[in-house]
Amino acid sequence: MGSAEEMHGWSVKMSISSVLAMVTVFSMIPGWVLSDIRGTKGLEAQQMAQGSTHLHRRLKRGWIWKQLFVPEEDPTLRVIGQLKSDSDRGEFSIKYILSGEGAGDVFEIDEYSGEIRTLKKLDREEKAFYVLQAQAINRRSNEPEEPQSEFIIKVQDINDNVPQFQNEPYVSSIPEMCPTGTTVAQVTATDADDPMFGNNAKLIYSILQGEPYFSVEPKTGIIVTSWPNMDREAREEYQVVVQVKDMLGMSGGHSSSTTVTVSLTDVNDNGPTFQHHLYTFAVPESAAMGTTVGRIMAADGDTGINARMTYSLEDDLEESSTFIIQTDPVTQEGVVLLAKPLDYETKRRFVMAAEAVNDHVDTRYLPLEEFTDRTTLKIVVEDVDEPPVFISPHYEWKVPENAAVGSVVGSVSARDTDTVNNPIRYSIDKRSDSTKAFKIDPNNGTITVAKALDRETSDWHNVTIEAKETTQNHLSSSLVVFIKVLDINDNVPRLARDYQPYICEGTQAGELIQLLNAVDPDDPAEGHHFYFSMVPEKHINPNFTIRDNQDNTAGIVARRSTFTRKDRTQYLLPVVVADSGSPALSSTTTLTISVCSCQPAGHCPTGGVEALALSIGVSLQTLLGLLVCLVTLTVLSVLMLMLRRHRRKQQEGLEVEVKELELPETVSQKVLYYGELGGGGADLDFCQPVVPLRPHPRRKERKLRREDVRASIRMSLRESHLIGPEDEVFRQFILDRLAEADEDPYVPPFDCLRTYAYEGSGSPTGSLSSLDSLEIFPEQPVRTPRPYVVKLTPWYGTGEEDTVF
């Protein structure tokens, strides 16, 4: 039976092949005819152009064809056709030549008979037809017997390809409870065989697995549902196997299959349902607000948004605020939370109703009341031994700083809230009252002053009070009380700083010399009010007065314009400062006002010390001028006296004269001369050769008070770090000393050393000058005429001059 069907199929294929071959041949004939006609017309036109009087009409010669088809996948090398010219008489005078696609590689031609043979197996899916060219050439004349002709060899299709599904894998989803006939997905397969030749590429689809829930349309491959009300909660996923066959499913065809995964998506066709009608929880009364009391769960077969629900509590008005319920967004559980503090002694049990409602309802699947369910909650409060509780949560007291020891500050009270009501004892945490300024009665909680208070030391006391049960677990609680110390006027006012006022020599009457401020550690509620005045005297101070500005400041004002350093260098001015307390307190401070030779801008550096040094320098220059005049008058007598003395001194030793000049405040000067007779001490030989000093007349009138000069020099050395060698004062000092040396006839010889040493600025060791030394060296007796060093003679001063205003 099978062989008969195969024979019938082969006959059908051969008949179709014969028809296609005839169509191909007839389609080629018009081309040849037209080509011959075009060739004849072209020849006639050429002959007419050449002027020929005889027209030679060429007779058409045609090709003789056999059928040119070759089946694919045929391993047998066979003759598939023959090309033959009508001029071929079987004498092998015609040579056939084949060219084009596959010539010599896939096809070959017998040059004598024109038969075309295949050289290898062909695949239609690789190449469906070949275009070739054929020629017939006369072997003797080597001229074409026929014009070159083009023909096609077609590869006949056989069913040698399996249908293949595209876009695998197939995954689809449909909502549950969908109606029958809902489209699930479409599968598509392709076949590489020729769709125009027989049924080789004619496909048909069928279901192998998935019935009765799904079906497929045979021609389109569309999968649809065939079972109503599929429930996702019963089954969520299906595997549908679809098969495709070619040749319209007839025997002998090829087939393949694919799997379609179909998932059911959720719809809200289930409502929440509590598994229990009563939920019981226990919570201790000491639980903090926000504590989780318990969890309840209403089951819902749906998922995602369809399973979301909201819980609520329903009970009487008083209890509704004690607990709250919230929905856990992850687990969809109802979390019961404590919203208010519990008290076992007040209420020991709570009973309430809980309700769960779906957030999204769909009345297409269930009635509205099916999306709600209720249950009952019972919450039991457990008793806990609690610490004492202070009656008031905040205590703040005020006490004056002069409160007597034992004064009552305040009282605290606590109680035991348990049913036992244990007695309470009170104490102060020592860490909060390190000074032990207060004490407490352990029985009644009364706090008293235990030590004198000082607001200026500590104006607030934060004391921790502890209340502890005397029995059972000795539970305790603590509380901080705030004690403010009130101020009283127990501190005297004083000047804000150590003022060092000075007055310039050119100050006019009424000018402000110094602005004064005052401070007071006290803190009166209405603020500070200071009053400035002078010490009451029988006579009015003729030099200065104090002007109270009524804004807690005062000014020292000059009362006259005749201040000079020649008259007085300092004035003492007592200043009285009083506050506005009750009772009022006051203090007296004596200020020293220095008279200064101020700079042009009115500035007196360091309160008049520099002015003192400069004034001393000017006086020395004046004295030197007077001394030069006196020396000019008595030069002869002085020279004679000095010569006699010099001769005697040469036998006893070398006279050394040390001369010190006053310096400005920032420069130290030393003028030294060292002399020697004989050998030895070469390292101190600064002047060579040694020339004895000329006698210098005594000038008692140029001597100043040595203590004043020493003070000036010390201040100059102490302030030397303020200026440098490039300062104008330093340069002026050098010029003054140079002019003085040029005019003084008693200076040492020119080849001797005269040193002006600048000690630098910022030295941490201070001055090393010998001018500040107080050591006394007694004069050594003269032994032998040899060089020696004479130390600088220290200056001695008298007691400091007292000054009054």
Side-chain angles (χ1 to χ4, degrees):
M1 185 66 183
S3 62
E5 290 180 356
E6 291 179 358
M7 292 298 294
H8 176 69
W10 176 252
S11 63
V12 172
K13 290 182 181 179
M14 293 301 293
S15 63
I16 295 174
S17 301
S18 301
V19 172
L20 290 174
M22 294 300 293
V23 172
T24 303
V25 170
F26 283 113
S27 64
M28 295 173 62
I29 291 175
W32 295 336
V33 173
L34 291 175
S35 63
D36 290 343
I37 294 173
R38 285 194 297 269
T40 304
K41 289 182 178 180
L43 182 57
E44 292 177 352
Q46 183 178 4
Q47 290 176 353
M48 291 180 66
Q50 294 176 356
S52 176
T53 58
H54 300 283
L55 295 176
H56 300 282
R57 184 177 299 274
R58 182 177 181 275
L59 298 178
K60 175 188 177 294
R61 294 180 181 180
W63 287 92
I64 298 175
W65 297 88
K66 283 188 177 182
Q67 185 174 327
L68 298 180
F69 287 91
V70 57
E72 67 170 331
E73 303 296 340
D74 186 2
T76 304
L77 304 182
R78 63 174 66 185
V79 177
I80 62 174
Q82 183 179 16
L83 301 180
K84 188 174 183 181
S85 174
D86 56 359
S87 62
D88 189 354
R89 299 292 183 265
E91 300 174 353
F92 304 107
S93 61
I94 303 299
K95 181 180 180 182
Y96 297 97
I97 300 176
L98 186 65
S99 62
E101 295 179 343
D105 181 22
V106 180
F107 308 100
E108 69 175 359
I109 190 171
D110 190 331
E111 64 178 8
Y112 296 101
S113 64
E115 292 179 345
I116 301 176
R117 299 183 180 87
T118 58
L119 298 177
K120 64 180 182 180
K121 183 173 63 175
L122 302 180
D123 186 4
R124 190 202 67 83
E125 286 71 40
E126 181 180 347
K127 191 170 181 63
F129 61 90
Y130 295 84
V131 180
L132 297 100
Q133 293 81 32
Q135 282 183 312
I137 299 175
N138 192 306
R139 291 180 181 273
R140 298 184 181 90
S141 62
N142 204 23
E143 294 292 334
E145 290 291 337
E146 299 289 345
Q148 183 176 345
S149 178
E150 183 176 273
F151 64 96
I152 298 175
I153 300 177
K154 297 192 66 176
V155 181
Q156 288 182 334
D157 182 53
I158 64 172
N159 191 14
D160 61 341
N161 289 280
V162 178
Q164 299 291 331
F165 282 98
Q166 306 297 315
N167 304 320
E168 289 184 305
Y170 292 98
V171 178
S172 180
S173 62
I174 57 174
E176 63 173 332
M177 311 300 289
C178 62
T180 303
T182 301
T183 300
V184 177
Q186 182 178 14
V187 294
T188 304
T190 59
D191 195 323
D193 292 326
D194 190 358
M196 303 301 294
F197 186 77
N199 296 324
N200 293 342
K202 299 297 176 57
L203 306 178
I204 189 169
Y205 300 92
S206 62
I207 290 284
L208 294 183
Q209 178 184 323
E211 294 179 335
Y213 303 103
F214 303 95
S215 61
V216 63
E217 295 183 3
K219 293 184 179 182
T220 61
I222 297 176
I223 303 172
V224 296
T225 59
S226 57
W227 189 269
N229 300 328
M230 287 187 290
D231 189 5
R232 185 199 65 84
E233 288 72 35
R235 184 176 179 181
E236 188 173 358
E237 188 176 273
Y238 297 84
Q239 301 291 330
V240 181
V241 180
V242 180
Q243 184 186 56
V244 62
K245 281 187 175 183
D246 57 10
M247 295 188 69
L248 295 175
M250 294 185 299
S251 62
H254 299 285
S255 67
S256 62
S257 62
T258 186
T259 300
V260 181
T261 302
V262 182
S263 300
L264 297 182
T265 58
D266 184 63
V267 297
N268 197 2
D269 58 343
N270 295 277
T273 303
F274 285 105
Q275 303 300 315
H276 304 281
H277 297 290
L278 176 64
Y279 292 86
T280 303
F281 303 106
V283 57
E285 64 172 331
S286 60
M289 289 186 295
T291 301
T292 299
V293 178
R295 289 172 174 259
I296 61 176
M297 179 66 183
D300 192 327
D302 299 321
T303 60
I305 191 174
N306 297 319
R308 294 180 184 176
M309 63 189 75
T310 300
Y311 295 88
S312 61
L313 296 178
E314 296 182 3
D315 51 5
D316 57 66
L317 182 63
E318 180 184 357
E319 298 175 359
S320 62
S321 58
T322 304
F323 301 94
I324 60 173
I325 188 169
Q326 296 178 351
T327 302
D328 189 324
V330 178
T331 63
Q332 293 301 308
E333 293 178 305
V335 183
V336 181
L337 303 174
L338 180 63
K340 281 187 175 181
L342 300 174
D343 187 6
Y344 174 83
E345 290 73 26
T346 304
K347 190 174 182 62
R348 304 181 182 183
R349 188 179 66 172
F350 295 84
V351 178
M352 62 198 74
E355 185 180 59
V357 181
N358 272 139
D359 294 345
H360 302 277
V361 298
D362 195 340
T363 55
R364 294 178 302 172
Y365 306 103
L366 290 175
L368 185 61
E369 60 272 9
E370 294 292 334
F371 293 102
T372 303
D373 197 19
R374 296 167 65 89
T375 189
T376 302
L377 296 182
K378 182 180 179 181
I379 301 176
V380 179
V381 180
E382 298 176 342
D383 186 27
V384 175
D385 187 12
E386 299 173 301
V389 177
F390 285 92
I391 296 177
S392 176
H394 180 76
Y395 292 92
E396 183 175 336
W397 301 311
K398 297 179 181 179
V399 58
E401 62 177 324
N402 62 345
V405 175
S407 301
V408 176
V409 180
S411 179
V412 297
S413 178
R415 65 182 181 87
D416 184 8
T417 58
D418 297 322
T419 55
V420 181
N421 194 15
N422 296 315
I424 305 299
R425 290 187 65 83
Y426 303 93
S427 61
I428 294 178
D429 189 347
K430 296 180 179 180
R431 294 173 296 179
S432 64
D433 187 24
S434 58
T435 60
K436 299 180 180 180
F438 304 95
K439 65 179 180 179
I440 188 171
D441 190 318
N443 297 315
N444 58 22
T446 302
I447 300 175
T448 58
V449 178
K451 188 178 181 180
L453 303 176
D454 185 10
R455 188 204 66 83
E456 287 71 36
T457 302
S458 178
D459 56 348
W460 279 94
H461 294 270
N462 303 330
V463 182
T464 301
I465 307 299
E466 184 180 36
K468 180 182 293 186
E469 296 178 358
T470 57
T471 58
Q472 289 188 1
N473 298 328
H474 299 283
L475 298 178
S476 65
S477 59
S478 59
L479 180 73
V480 178
V481 298
F482 303 95
I483 303 174
K484 181 179 182 180
V485 181
L486 301 179
D487 181 56
I488 62 171
N489 192 24
D490 58 345
N491 291 278
V492 297
R494 64 180 184 276
L495 294 180
R497 59 186 179 87
D498 184 16
Y499 293 99
Q500 296 181 356
Y502 65 90
I503 183 171
C504 297
E505 290 184 325
T507 301
Q508 300 297 319
E511 288 188 16
L512 177 65
I513 298 174
Q514 180 69 57
L515 185 66
L516 303 178
N517 287 278
V519 293
D520 191 335
D522 293 324
D523 186 18
E526 66 278 1
H528 286 293
H529 297 284
F530 298 120
Y531 304 96
F532 299 84
S533 62
M534 300 178 63
V535 176
E537 295 288 346
K538 296 181 181 180
H539 303 285
I540 299 176
N541 190 329
N543 302 312
F544 307 99
T545 186
I546 294 179
R547 180 191 300 161
D548 195 328
N549 298 327
Q550 302 299 320
D551 59 354
N552 293 337
T553 65
I556 301 176
V557 180
R559 300 193 64 178
R560 62 184 179 86
S561 306
T562 58
F563 293 96
T564 60
R565 291 189 56 79
K566 293 181 179 180
D567 296 337
R568 178 174 289 179
T569 59
Q570 290 181 343
Y571 294 87
L572 300 180
L573 178 64
V575 178
V576 179
V577 183
D579 59 18
S580 59
S582 180
L585 301 179
S586 63
S587 66
T588 302
T589 303
T590 301
L591 300 179
T592 300
I593 303 176
S594 302
V595 180
C596 175
S597 297
C598 297
Q599 297 179 358
H603 176 60
C604 181
T606 65
V609 176
E610 291 82 350
L612 175 61
L614 290 174
S615 62
I616 293 176
V618 173
S619 300
L620 287 177
Q621 291 180 0
T622 304
L623 292 176
L624 287 175
L626 295 175
L627 289 176
V628 168
C629 296
L630 293 176
V631 169
T632 303
L633 297 176
T634 58
V635 61
L636 295 177
S637 59
V638 171
L639 287 175
M640 293 296 295
L641 179 62
M642 292 298 294
L643 288 174
R644 292 176 183 177
R645 289 182 180 179
H646 181 64
R647 289 174 183 175
R648 290 195 300 267
K649 292 293 183 181
Q650 284 180 346
Q651 299 175 2
E652 299 173 356
L654 179 65
E655 177 183 354
V656 178
E657 178 180 349
V658 178
K659 181 179 183 181
E660 294 184 7
L661 299 178
E662 293 75 21
L663 307 177
E665 65 278 7
T666 59
V667 181
S668 62
Q669 145 189 292
K670 294 183 282 294
V671 182
L672 310 175
Y673 171 75
Y674 298 87
E676 66 176 1
L677 291 175
D683 53 339
L684 298 176
D685 190 9
F686 293 97
C687 302
Q688 297 292 341
V690 177
V691 178
L693 294 176
R694 286 169 288 180
H696 197 291
R698 294 185 175 272
R699 293 176 287 186
K700 296 183 179 180
E701 58 273 22
R702 67 176 295 194
K703 289 186 179 179
L704 300 177
R705 293 176 62 251
R706 293 183 179 179
E707 185 62 25
D708 294 341
V709 176
R710 287 179 58 206
S712 176
I713 295 303
R714 287 197 194 99
M715 184 60 68
S716 299
L717 296 175
R718 189 158 48 243
E719 300 295 331
S720 63
H721 68 280
L722 298 178
I723 63 174
E726 301 300 328
D727 191 85
E728 180 63 30
V729 176
F730 190 91
R731 291 196 295 268
Q732 186 62 38
F733 170 77
I734 295 299
L735 295 177
D736 292 345
R737 300 289 82 75
L738 180 61
E740 184 179 272
D742 292 341
E743 297 175 1
D744 192 351
Y746 301 103
V747 297
F750 293 107
D751 56 352
C752 290
L753 176 63
R754 192 171 198 180
T755 302
Y756 296 90
Y758 169 69
E759 297 182 7
S761 60
S763 174
T765 59
S767 175
L768 301 178
S769 172
S770 61
L771 296 178
D772 202 30
S773 175
L774 295 178
E775 185 178 359
I776 302 175
F777 298 90
E779 184 177 358
Q780 299 293 332
V782 178
R783 296 178 180 179
T784 57
R786 62 176 182 176
Y788 62 95
V789 177
V790 180
K791 295 184 178 293
L792 297 177
T793 302
W795 293 356
Y796 297 91
T798 61
E800 191 175 23
E801 179 184 357
D802 295 333
T803 57
V804 297
F805 52 82

